[in-house]
Amino acid sequence: MSIRQIATLTGHGDRVWGVHWNHTGKHLASCSGDKSVRIWGLEGEKWVCKTILEEGHQRAIRRVAWSPCGNRLATASFDATVCIWDKKSGEFECIATLEGHENEVKAAAWSISGSYLATCSRDKSVWVWETYDEDDFECAGVVTSHTQDVKEVVWHPNEDIFASGSYDDTVRIFEEDDGEWVTGAVLEGHDSTVWSISWDKSGDRLATVSDDKTLKIWKRYKSGNPQNIVTGSSKYSWKCICTLSGFHERTIFSVDWCHQTGLIATACADDAIRIFKEDEKSSSDEPTFNLLCSYNHSHAQDVNCVSWNPAQPGILASASDDCEVKIWKIDDV
């Protein structure tokens, strides 16, 4: 198996912080320190910039997220706001600016139902926003259980629960209980900042990456599980079932677990992209993941984000401090 570059997308005037595919896999959004979002698509066999959104934020845009329906984008910015963009009349327009965070917003993510949006910030908080009608977003809860900057927030693929990663070295799972958003579990095991999180297709496992240069796999055990993992008074318990170390030379900034192929991609400060695959013969409670391929100089500077195409197996996008977005093909998937 090998990884090869199939496109380089240029145009951003500053580092590219994030990339995210829409649900059809036909459009890719990227966000940058230049305060803009670019939406890319194919014209014939060439990737081109279809749209530029650049009037919503006053500072760098740290993350961009497509809604499940593909008609909306949420952008999280260092200006402490989140903008909601809607493609109502064929063109994206900013329909709402969500305010409340006291410092830089590091990430935003939609729930699978599209009813909720979670945002996280340097102010140590995670906000949950609910949309009651087409253009109205209201805060449904603020969670302050992290003790440091919250770097990442990601919703479960099938349930209205989400995970967050923080500078406090922990991952936390949040769920709704009697109308309140509460911490359902705290995952401890990383020795430094947790930068990125990704759920597997089932939602029973998580991949997390950290400044400690490790990739960890966590598994959810429900009450009464046959493995006799103690859950106490909780509905479930999380256990780290695999730690991959020695593969990354510097901080791992991003991880994405492909729901089509099961491959895990990582983006690293050593300028490399790496692809891992689970050994099908290994135990589900003690799995083995092997490095399938890597591209050691995928970008000229830090790779900040990787994102699998949800509709085309083996297609991966990456974003870098070198101001470029690249698209890759993993052969023999």
Side-chain angles (χ1 to χ4, degrees), residues 120-136:
C120 63
S121 168
R122 185 181 175 186
D123 66 13
K124 310 175 189 177
S125 73
V126 178
W127 288 50
V128 181
W129 307 83
E130 188 169 4
T131 174
Y132 292 98
D133 59 39
E134 194 171 277
D135 298 334
D136 187 23

Side-chain angles (χ1 to χ4, degrees), residues 47-108:
W47 284 91
V48 299
C49 181
K50 298 280 193 177
T51 305
I52 301 176
L53 310 178
E54 54 186 349
E55 298 189 0
H57 293 288
Q58 304 304 311
R59 295 183 61 191
I61 303 175
R62 178 66 172 77
R63 190 64 55 86
V64 58
W66 290 93
S67 64
C69 67
N71 292 324
R72 287 184 170 182
L73 284 168
T75 53
S77 172
F78 285 1
D79 66 11
T81 70
V82 175
C83 285
I84 308 299
W85 305 81
D86 193 286
K87 195 175 184 180
K88 286 186 172 181
S89 55
E91 306 246 345
F92 280 98
E93 61 177 300
C94 183
I95 61 166
T97 299
L98 309 183
E99 299 178 335
H101 284 292
E102 297 176 0
N103 297 105
E104 295 101 319
V105 184
K106 297 298 180 70

Side-chain angles (χ1 to χ4, degrees), residues 256-291:
D256 198 20
W257 200 330
C258 183
H259 291 182
Q260 296 171 299
T261 64
L263 298 179
I264 296 176
T266 61
C268 190
D270 62 12
D271 309 342
I273 292 172
R274 295 174 176 87
I275 310 296
F276 297 87
K277 184 178 182 180
E278 184 174 2
D279 185 340
E280 296 178 357
K281 297 180 181 179
S282 63
S283 164
S284 62
D285 295 305
E286 295 182 358
T288 299
F289 286 80
N290 300 310
L291 178 65

